Amino acid sequence: MITKRIIPCLDVKDGRVVKGVNFQDLNDVSSPVELAAYYSRCGADELVFYDITASAEGRRLFTDILTETARRVFIPLTVGGGINTVEDFDRVLKCGADKVSVNSGAIRNPGLIYEAAKRYGDQCVVLSVDVKRVDGQFRVFARGGRDDTGMEAIQWIRRCVDNGAGEVVVNSIDTDGVKGGFDLPMLQAVCEAVNVPVIASGGAGGVQDFLTLFHTLPKVDAGLAASIFHFGEVAIKDLKAAMAADGIPTRL
């Protein structure tokens, strides 16, 4: 059976890891280089590095910090933020990323996923989707959760997977940083719509939230979190031990 992955997320702003609630009120946490090295040592299965203001500020991702981070990491590294062209994919991969996450860039240019998957393979292309409920509908948001695109999320995700996205990170704006548990209804809708790995993001408050996630939605491949790991509320080794004890396949 395929093991479930635990993935810490580094939201990077101005060269520092930050964390907020519902994508707002960002607080400084740590150096991305040091934090990435720590997670690489302590049992994380993968790591996600998001330059969270690159798209909103209309600039390229900070490659100097990324390159140094990649040097310190010995687990798969997914990188996103300001990815608008196939050349951006190439630049980030050359800095040491294993996979590239695209969000606002794909909204602006839906052909980007197809072009990137054709050049680098589906396994390299990760669709990251920021989703929020609006009038009872799952809606796609762009520019770090700032702009409502008006697009229905499930249809958008299905379209991107058909174009070659090999993995989907579902970021629930409604549950982000709230620590009340993952957005299970939203994740279930995504799992029913696609047949690629789905990563749950937003809402983890403790070990039990991961156990509930994987037991309730066996098709979810990974759980992604930030603040509970950053602030030492949950140790990854303890989380994995609890998963194994609860019958959830994990890499110890």
Side-chain angles (χ1 to χ4, degrees):
M1 187 178 292
I2 297 175
T3 58
K4 302 300 184 182
R5 292 172 285 156
I6 300 300
I7 307 176
C9 178
L10 308 181
D11 291 325
V12 180
K13 180 179 185 289
D14 300 328
R16 298 284 294 178
V17 176
V18 296
K19 192 67 188 83
V21 177
N22 302 128
F23 284 33
Q24 298 177 348
D25 301 324
L26 301 177
N27 296 307
D28 184 86
V29 176
S30 181
S31 153
V33 177
E34 296 305 320
L35 203 52
Y38 166 75
Y39 287 132
S40 185
R41 293 193 305 269
C42 73
D45 295 297
E46 297 189 16
L47 194 63
V48 170
F49 178 114
Y50 288 141
D51 186 336
I52 61 171
T53 56
S55 290
E57 295 171 0
R59 61 168 171 79
R60 290 182 169 184
L61 183 143
F62 291 128
T63 52
D64 52 345
I65 297 171
L66 170 58
T67 301
E68 183 59 27
T69 300
R71 285 199 191 105
R72 302 282 296 276
V73 170
F74 302 98
I75 52 178
L77 176 64
T78 298
V79 177
I83 306 297
N84 296 300
T85 66
V86 173
E87 289 68 35
D88 289 330
F89 271 79
D90 187 65
R91 186 167 51 86
V92 168
L93 290 168
K94 286 178 177 175
C95 288
D98 298 285
K99 295 182 278 190
V100 181
S101 175
V102 62
N103 186 336
S104 296
I107 294 169
R108 284 189 289 270
N109 172 20
L112 176 60
I113 287 176
Y114 175 79
E115 295 167 18
K118 188 175 180 182
R119 180 177 298 189
Y120 300 109
D122 294 7
Q123 79 289 340
C124 182
V125 182
V126 179
L127 173 69
S128 179
V129 191
D130 297 332
V131 186
K132 185 176 182 178
R133 289 167 177 80
V134 179
D135 297 328
Q137 182 185 63
F138 293 135
R139 198 79 62 81
V140 177
F141 278 66
R143 297 176 65 244
R146 293 168 179 83
D147 299 341
D148 183 353
T149 66
M151 293 192 300
E152 197 281 322
I154 306 304
Q155 293 178 8
W156 169 246
I157 291 168
R158 187 183 291 118
R159 175 183 176 186
C160 291
V161 169
D162 288 344
N163 281 341
E167 193 166 77
V168 179
V169 178
V170 183
N171 308 301
S172 172
I173 297 175
D174 294 322
T175 62
D176 175 70
V178 176
K179 300 182 181 179
F182 290 99
D183 197 327
L184 301 179
M186 183 184 294
L187 291 162
Q188 181 174 1
V190 175
C191 287
E192 290 173 354
V194 299
N195 290 312
V196 298
V198 173
I199 298 173
S201 172
V207 169
Q208 186 59 50
D209 291 328
F210 287 89
L211 304 184
T212 299
L213 169 70
F214 293 128
H215 281 306
T216 305
L217 299 174
K219 288 185 69 177
V220 168
D221 288 79
L224 182 150
S227 58
I228 63 166
F229 297 143
H230 297 343
F231 299 119
E233 296 167 38
V234 173
I236 291 176
K237 63 179 179 60
D238 294 339
L239 169 57
K240 289 188 161 191
M243 289 168 59
D246 213 36
I248 298 169
T250 185
R251 181 182 64 85
L252 296 173

